[in-house]
């Protein structure tokens, strides 16, 4: 086995999602992007295949050229361990914009601050600010 990479399937907004994620998470970038051209199976200009990194973690994604009866589920989430209250509040605010909360940002006893949300694309995120030792 060469590697294990999380793979996200979007329905026409993969590039928008990647751009949001890399704009709010430092040390992140789109590393490759291949778009559908004219007369190809997918919608012209949508993502045929892309890779991006978030804080060193590689992800792959596509825009599916087939409409599916399913989307993302909160049972799989991207877990962010934050270093400060300012950082977790910034990330939470940016990711929840247009999305929804499963657990509002707060102190639930197991960490200083924690929030679990689905962003406007349906991707689930858990944001944690651990208790200080």
């Amino acid at each position: 086995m060469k590697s294990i990479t999380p793979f996200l399937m979007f329905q026409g907004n993969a590039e928008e999602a990647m751009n949001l994620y890399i704009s709010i998470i430092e040390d992140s970038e789109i590393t490759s992007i291949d778009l559908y051209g004219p007369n190809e199976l997918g919608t012209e200009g949508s993502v045929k295949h892309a890779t991006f990194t978030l804080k060193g973690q590689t992800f792959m994604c596509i825009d599916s050229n087939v409409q599916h009866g399913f989307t993302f589920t909160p049972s799989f989430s991207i877990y962010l361990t934050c270093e400060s209250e300012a950082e977790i509040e910034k990330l939470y605010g940016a990711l929840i914009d247009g999305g929804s909360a499963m657990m509002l940002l707060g102190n639930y006893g197991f960490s200083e601050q924690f929030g679990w949300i689905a962003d406007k694309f349906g991707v689930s995120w858990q944001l944690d600010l651990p208790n200080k030792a």
Side-chain angles (χ1 to χ4, degrees):
M1 181 182 307
K2 185 176 177 183
S3 65
I4 298 174
T5 307
F7 186 94
L8 304 172
M9 182 182 70
F10 293 89
Q11 297 289 315
N13 49 14
E15 189 170 11
E16 179 186 359
M18 288 187 297
N19 282 320
L20 172 65
Y21 304 155
I22 68 167
S23 74
I24 62 172
I25 298 173
E26 58 187 45
D27 301 322
S28 301
E29 65 179 337
I30 296 173
T31 52
S32 71
I33 187 166
D34 185 18
L35 304 177
Y36 284 105
N39 304 316
E40 291 188 301
L41 284 176
T43 303
E44 185 175 355
S46 66
V47 175
K48 185 188 300 185
H49 184 267
T51 58
F52 62 103
T53 62
L54 301 178
K55 202 71 171 174
Q57 171 64 55
T58 299
F59 291 82
M60 284 191 273
C61 70
I62 64 168
D63 279 319
S64 178
N65 61 344
V66 175
Q67 291 298 311
H68 297 278
F70 57 86
T71 185
F72 298 107
T73 170
S75 64
F76 180 85
S77 58
I78 301 170
Y79 196 97
L80 305 178
T81 303
C82 299
E83 294 182 335
S84 69
E85 193 167 330
E87 180 182 47
I88 197 169
E89 288 175 359
K90 173 189 161 233
L91 291 168
Y92 184 91
L95 289 167
I96 199 166
D97 185 24
S100 61
M102 290 168 272
M103 292 178 74
L104 294 171
L105 188 60
N107 184 327
Y108 295 95
F110 54 83
S111 66
E112 207 172 297
Q113 291 285 312
F114 180 85
W116 192 346
I117 60 174
D119 66 24
K120 66 182 177 180
F121 309 106
V123 176
S124 179
W125 299 81
Q126 294 186 62
L127 292 87
D128 183 40
L129 178 60
N131 287 322
K132 294 177 183 146

